[in-house]
Amino acid sequence: MDRRPGAGRRVLSAPRHAAALARRRRLARLALLWEALWPRLWPPLGVAGLFLILALLGLPPLLPGWLHAALLAGFAAVVGLLAWRGFRGFAWPGAAAAERRLERESGLRHRPLAALADRPATEDPAALALWRAHQARAAAELRALRVGAPRPGLARRDPRALRSALLLGLIAGLVMAGGEAPERLHRALTPAFALAPPAPALRIEAWVTPPAYTGAAPVFLPAAGGGATVPEGSRLQVALSGGRGGVPELVAAEGAMPMRALDPGSFVAELPLAEGGQIALRRDGRELARWALAVQADAPPRAWFAEAPGRAARGLGIRLPWAAEDDWGLAALRAEFRLRARPEAPPLVLDLSLPGGAREARGTAQPDLSAHPWAGLEVTVRLVARDGAEQEGVSEAAALALPERSFNHPVARRVIAVRKGLSLAPEQRGTARRELEDIARAPEAFEHDATTYLALRAARSRLLFDRREAAVAEVQDLLWEVALALEEGRDGRTLRALQQAREALREALEQAEREPPRTEAERAELDRRIQELREAIRQHLEALAERLQRENAEAIPFDPQNRLMDQRDMDRRTERMREAAREGRIEDAQRELAELEEMLRALEEGRVARQENPQRQQQRQRGQQQMGVVQDMVRRQGEMLDRSHQRAEAEEQRRAEERRQQRSQGLRWPPGPRPSPEAGPRPDAPAEAQAEAQQQEREQDRRRQRALRRALGELMQQFGDLTGEIPEGLGRADQAMREAQEALSEGRDARDAQARAMRALMEGGQQMAQAMQRQFGMSPDGDGEDMAAGGDQGGEGQDQARAQGEGRDPLGRRTRDVGGQAESGSDTRVPDEAEILRTRRLQDELRRRAAERERPPEELDYLDRLLRRF
């Protein structure tokens, strides 16, 4: 028995050492098992991980059923084969191997674990004591026993670290699949062996798009094939969808053209049609459709004179009755004039207006070429029509002499003769230069006018030194101005200067109204414009006085109704205009300018009236009466437009009331029974009565519109007989009235057509005023604008105003100075031109806003009340 100290403790701790040793042996066996399993599991697990990545991405279900199953079988076979190869010859690690691992990882020598389990073969006490000492030493070494981490050695088998890439792929697949991961895995493991869906039905669409200039609609071809005749330059478009097969193709005379794929089952092709022929649609060698297309060539347009060209019945214009036609539509029409004496000279080209897209058109042009250098010479004229394909058709040439203005001044006649000679022979500059020198040597023939002399010398010098071909045309323009100045006299030149000064001041005042002048330079510029107008008025009055003295040998008589002759009144007006402009009161300045223009207009009309014969005065009065009729038409058309607005507003209110009643009934009906139709009178009976009243009013407006249109037709005919031309605005008004009448007959909204008719009537009135100015010398700034604004009532009204007695102006207002005494007050307030224009703009803006029915009902009601009142 061992008596040494500590021997008992070692013997007592032996069971504890045995338990620790047994635990370490289990851990060692597990480490050995992992080192043996992981290298064998990695290949089949890697292949399985690759399949999981494909499944999470949703790729296997995209394959056909048989291919999906083959993929599953292939992956399963590879996984099984790799597992069989890896686990062939595999054995579980035993206790001896575990002990050897513990000894190796702990760095123990001489296999101490084996010493603990061994038994001595002898019974010698000494030997047994030595053996126990050896076991005690071995047991002491077991305190540092370590298992160590498993080392499967996979890095040697996977030097490129593909396992990391596989792990990243799995993580990415899970993120992309999200909540659909289980469903995707399920679909990846269950291939679908359902029958393939049937092919979609075959659909063929073919159409031919004509060229844009024809304005024709597309021609749709039968899907099964057929024939058609199409314009030249058309394009065939074929679309195919559905069916099974390869890429279809169009087969024409030029060869086969594959169609362009839009998606796997849709194709489209486009083919220009230069000539006719057979076009087939084929797919996989099978013909699906065939079309026989004939291409119709575009014929050139035709143009001709409906009547022989000649001089207009009135004025200095020429009359060109033209006619033109084209198979698809006319694009342009022009008249080309050529000088008969010089056919090689560049032609004079005049563009004639055509209705848009018309295939056949007729009309009469009356251009005034009296100011052209060829005036008075024989010319040939032809019509040239052009269609959308840039083809041209030429009419036969017609001969005529261009009307020319007659000049009474002898020097003016000589200057015009030089101008005409340059048109006939532009190379003979010497002859024209000598004639101009002869005219300039006798300045007494043109009253020693320095301007005329300098113009003649300038024309002579340009003919001498400027050798350009364009110089002859420039000299002719200069000679025309000289002749006009000599014929019209100083008052004509001063009148043009006065008109230019008035227009410049009007523009400056409008600019100042939009942007008030802020700098001293801008105010000085406005003041300069006023001074120029004042000087132009003064010079024009002096020129008129000189002309009357030259013609009648007497001064301008004093007219108490024409205060423009009072230079002091003119100075006061211009001074008030300057003060108003300096103080920023632009409206007051415009009012003063409008009064000045009215006085100038009255002066000019009075002068012209004194020079006109009774027949011309009667024609003037007829024209003024006709413009007054147009003004009355504008008023009547405006009344019908107002009634249309009222009907639309009432209809909108009725509908809103019906919607409110329906909503209220919908809220009341669920708690109780619905009201019976026999319970009493219908709630919509007043609405039906209102609708019937509106229908009657619409019928009355339709009759009024028809009567107004008839009156407009008669007015157009009368004005055409008077002036030889019909304003385009009246024609557009007639068209708009017809559309309004049709809309009223069909119960549609006629407001747009009625508004267009109003605008066209006002434009037609202005064009009438311009025509009267050309024919009879009436000012376009007067009657026309006053008519459009609701002012002038015609010639009879003016005559009555002038006949109101002494001390009143042509509008019936008291003059400022009657009999030398200042006026103490005025009993009449007539709006001036600036106020009329401003009122008209306000009314147009109110009508424009009232036509926008999407505005709030309160605002629309307010606008309608304003229109009814004003």
Side-chain angles (χ1 to χ4, degrees):
M1 185 175 180
D2 192 358
R3 304 285 187 182
R4 291 176 296 174
R9 289 193 299 270
R10 285 195 299 271
V11 174
L12 291 175
S13 60
R16 190 166 58 249
H17 289 304
L21 179 59
R23 186 170 62 256
R24 285 182 174 83
R25 282 175 180 171
R26 284 194 301 272
L27 292 176
R29 291 181 70 180
L30 290 175
L32 290 173
L33 180 61
W34 177 251
E35 290 177 354
L37 286 178
W38 182 237
R40 289 175 172 84
L41 290 175
W42 160 243
L45 289 179
V47 176
L50 180 60
F51 177 78
L52 286 176
I53 293 175
L54 297 178
L56 292 173
L57 295 178
L59 298 179
L62 301 179
L63 301 175
W66 64 270
L67 187 57
H68 188 181
L71 179 67
L72 289 176
F75 269 100
V78 172
V79 170
L81 177 61
L82 293 176
W84 177 77
R85 290 184 57 186
F87 284 93
R88 186 178 53 180
F90 172 75
W92 290 90
E99 290 178 357
R100 299 293 82 76
R101 176 183 177 83
L102 290 174
E103 292 171 350
R104 187 172 57 253
E105 292 295 330
S106 303
L108 301 179
R109 294 177 298 172
H110 307 299
R111 301 177 66 180
L113 294 178
L116 293 176
D118 287 344
R119 293 291 182 269
T122 180
E123 296 293 336
D124 185 20
L128 290 175
L130 181 60
W131 178 252
R132 285 193 295 271
H134 176 64
Q135 284 186 331
R137 189 166 51 250
E141 293 177 356
L142 292 181
R143 297 174 183 159
L145 197 63
R146 297 192 305 272
V147 178
R151 290 185 294 274
L154 192 60
R156 293 191 303 271
R157 294 173 177 264
D158 183 21
R160 298 184 182 276
L162 296 179
R163 56 192 183 279
S164 301
L166 183 64
L167 180 61
L168 291 176
L170 285 172
I171 296 174
L174 288 171
V175 172
M176 293 178 63
E180 297 180 0
E183 179 64 23
R184 292 189 180 186
L185 291 176
H186 176 72
R187 285 184 294 172
L189 294 174
T190 54
F193 292 99
L195 296 177
L202 182 65
R203 182 177 180 182
I204 300 174
E205 295 180 350
W207 66 94
V208 177
T209 303
Y213 70 85
T214 62
V219 179
F220 291 91
L221 303 177
T229 301
V230 298
E232 184 180 7
S234 301
R235 301 186 70 85
L236 171 66
Q237 292 176 296
V238 180
L240 183 146
S241 61
R244 294 191 183 276
V247 177
E249 57 185 8
L250 285 180
V251 181
E254 297 82 2
M257 181 184 69
M259 300 180 70
R260 179 168 54 91
L262 299 177
D263 55 49
S266 301
F267 303 88
V268 68
E270 186 174 355
L271 181 67
L273 300 176
E275 57 184 12
Q278 299 284 332
I279 298 177
L281 175 62
R282 294 180 180 177
R283 190 175 197 178
D284 296 337
R286 183 169 60 93
E287 184 174 296
L288 303 178
R290 177 179 291 272
W291 299 281
L293 300 179
V295 176
Q296 179 183 2
D298 185 14
R302 294 179 57 246
W304 66 93
F305 289 105
E307 300 176 9
R311 182 165 180 170
R314 299 179 180 84
L316 297 177
I318 57 175
R319 190 171 183 271
L320 298 177
W322 55 267
E325 65 178 12
D326 185 66
D327 50 358
W328 291 112
L330 297 165
L333 180 66
R334 66 180 186 272
E336 293 184 353
F337 297 82
R338 292 187 179 273
L339 193 61
R340 297 189 65 181
R342 293 174 52 228
E344 73 282 357
L348 168 63
V349 179
L350 294 180
D351 292 328
L352 306 179
S353 60
L354 285 173
R359 297 191 177 187
E360 182 178 357
R362 294 175 178 268
T364 302
Q366 295 186 355
D368 186 355
L369 301 178
S370 59
H372 195 268
W374 294 355
L377 302 177
E378 295 288 333
V379 298
T380 58
V381 58
R382 66 175 187 173
L383 299 173
V384 181
R386 178 169 55 85
D387 61 6
E390 301 299 329
Q391 300 183 104
E392 292 188 347
V394 183
S395 69
E396 295 183 357
L400 75 157
L402 294 181
E404 62 177 334
R405 175 174 176 171
S406 60
F407 290 88
N408 298 320
H409 198 285
V411 177
R413 288 200 297 268
R414 293 181 64 183
V415 170
I416 292 299
V418 174
R419 182 174 181 257
K420 191 181 300 184
L422 288 175
S423 297
L424 294 174
E427 68 280 357
Q428 296 181 2
R429 297 190 177 192
T431 303
R433 189 174 65 251
R434 288 189 294 271
E435 181 66 19
L436 292 177
E437 291 175 351
D438 291 343
I439 296 174
R441 288 194 188 99
E444 64 279 359
F446 47 86
E447 295 86 19
H448 296 274
D449 185 59
T451 303
T452 303
Y453 178 80
L454 293 176
L456 293 173
R457 298 298 295 177
R460 177 257 180 198
S461 300
R462 183 165 295 183
L463 290 175
L464 179 62
F465 298 107
D466 194 345
R467 309 309 300 177
R468 296 179 298 116
E469 294 183 3
V472 175
E474 296 172 357
V475 169
Q476 288 178 317
D477 293 339
L478 181 59
L479 295 179
W480 176 255
E481 295 296 332
V482 171
L484 285 181
L486 291 172
E487 182 68 19
E488 295 177 354
R490 183 186 173 192
D491 60 336
R493 295 192 298 271
T494 56
L495 178 60
R496 288 197 297 272
L498 175 58
Q499 293 174 349
Q500 293 175 359
R502 288 164 53 191
E503 185 64 26
L505 179 57
R506 185 184 295 110
E507 293 178 358
L509 290 176
E510 291 177 356
Q511 178 67 23
E513 185 178 12
R514 291 191 300 267
E515 299 179 2
R518 297 182 177 86
T519 62
E520 188 64 30
E522 294 177 351
R523 288 189 287 270
E525 176 66 18
L526 191 58
D527 186 77
R528 185 179 65 83
R529 296 289 186 185
I530 297 175
Q531 290 292 348
E532 289 179 355
L533 176 62
R534 179 177 181 177
E535 184 64 21
I537 294 174
R538 185 187 62 78
Q539 293 180 2
H540 182 56
L541 293 179
E542 292 178 356
L544 288 178
E546 292 175 1
R547 179 172 180 174
L548 287 179
Q549 289 177 358
R550 184 171 61 252
E551 293 177 355
N552 303 329
E554 61 179 2
I556 299 178
F558 176 75
D559 186 359
Q561 295 187 7
N562 192 350
R563 300 304 303 161
L564 187 61
M565 296 298 99
D566 190 351
Q567 185 69 31
R568 293 176 299 174
D569 189 14
M570 183 195 69
D571 292 340
R572 285 195 298 268
R573 290 186 178 276
T574 54
E575 187 62 30
R576 287 198 299 267
M577 193 184 308
R578 290 181 60 188
E579 293 178 358
R582 192 180 301 113
E583 296 174 1
R585 295 181 286 109
I586 304 301
E587 294 183 358
D588 294 341
Q590 290 177 335
R591 185 179 299 107
E592 294 292 340
L593 176 61
E595 292 182 1
L596 275 176
E597 290 176 343
E598 181 66 27
M599 298 172 72
L600 289 171
R601 189 179 303 115
L603 172 64
E604 182 64 22
E605 290 178 358
R607 183 179 66 86
V608 173
R610 286 192 297 268
Q611 296 174 356
E612 287 180 344
N613 54 32
Q615 181 181 2
R616 192 172 180 86
Q617 290 182 4
Q618 184 179 5
Q619 291 176 345
R620 173 197 290 272
Q621 293 177 0
R622 286 176 55 195
Q624 292 175 341
Q625 292 173 358
Q626 291 170 1
M627 287 190 291
V629 171
V630 174
Q631 174 205 354
D632 184 67
M633 289 183 178
V634 172
R635 181 181 59 80
R636 295 179 182 273
Q637 189 67 56
E639 293 176 354
M640 284 190 287
L641 179 59
D642 292 340
R643 286 193 293 270
S644 298
H645 281 301
Q646 294 172 3
R647 285 195 300 270
E649 179 185 4
E651 180 67 17
E652 183 64 26
Q653 292 178 354
R654 185 181 64 82
R655 292 178 180 176
E657 182 65 25
E658 290 179 355
R659 289 194 294 268
R660 286 195 296 269
Q661 291 180 358
Q662 292 175 0
R663 287 196 298 267
S664 62
Q665 293 172 0
L667 292 176
R668 289 196 303 266
W669 284 343
R674 293 176 179 266
S676 173
E678 293 80 5
R682 293 180 299 172
D684 57 348
E688 292 183 354
Q690 183 180 4
E692 183 178 357
Q694 290 182 359
Q695 180 64 26
Q696 294 177 359
E697 183 181 357
R698 187 180 292 108
E699 178 64 22
Q700 293 176 0
D701 278 354
R702 184 189 66 81
R703 291 195 295 268
R704 294 191 187 102
Q705 190 71 72
R706 182 178 59 185
L708 190 62
R709 185 185 174 203
R710 290 179 179 176
L712 177 61
E714 296 176 359
L715 175 66
M716 293 167 62
Q717 182 178 1
Q718 295 174 3
F719 193 79
D721 295 340
L722 180 64
T723 62
E725 58 180 302
I726 299 176
E728 297 180 0
L730 299 183
R732 292 195 302 271
D734 180 77
Q735 177 68 19
M737 287 183 181
R738 183 180 65 83
E739 296 177 3
Q741 180 180 345
E742 293 176 354
L744 291 171
S745 301
E746 299 172 1
R748 294 184 285 107
D749 189 359
R751 287 179 293 176
D752 180 66
Q754 290 173 341
R756 286 190 284 109
M758 280 191 60
R759 291 194 296 268
L761 281 174
M762 290 188 289
E763 294 176 3
Q766 295 176 358
Q767 294 169 0
M768 289 174 65
Q770 295 172 0
M772 295 291 291
Q773 163 67 14
R774 290 191 296 269
Q775 293 287 340
F776 308 112
M778 293 175 58
S779 173
D781 294 334
D783 296 335
E785 291 188 3
D786 289 344
M787 183 280 304
D792 189 13
Q793 296 293 335
E796 295 178 355
Q798 289 184 357
D799 295 340
Q800 294 174 3
R802 291 192 182 98
Q804 290 183 3
E806 184 178 359
R808 293 183 179 269
D809 64 5
L811 293 179
R813 297 173 293 187
R814 290 184 178 180
T815 56
R816 296 179 180 272
D817 191 2
V818 180
Q821 296 180 358
E823 177 195 17
S824 59
S826 175
D827 60 350
T828 305
R829 175 67 176 94
V830 179
D832 54 50
E833 184 177 359
E835 293 178 348
I836 292 175
L837 292 176
R838 194 158 54 250
T839 303
R840 186 174 61 187
R841 292 170 186 168
L842 289 175
Q843 291 176 346
D844 293 343
E845 179 65 19
L846 288 175
R847 290 191 177 94
R848 184 188 68 80
R849 295 189 181 185
E852 298 174 355
R853 307 311 295 179
E854 65 274 7
R855 293 179 176 271
E858 296 81 4
E859 182 179 354
L860 292 175
D861 179 67
Y862 175 69
L863 292 173
D864 291 341
R865 282 190 283 108
L866 284 178
L867 288 173
R868 286 195 301 268
R869 182 174 181 181
F870 298 105

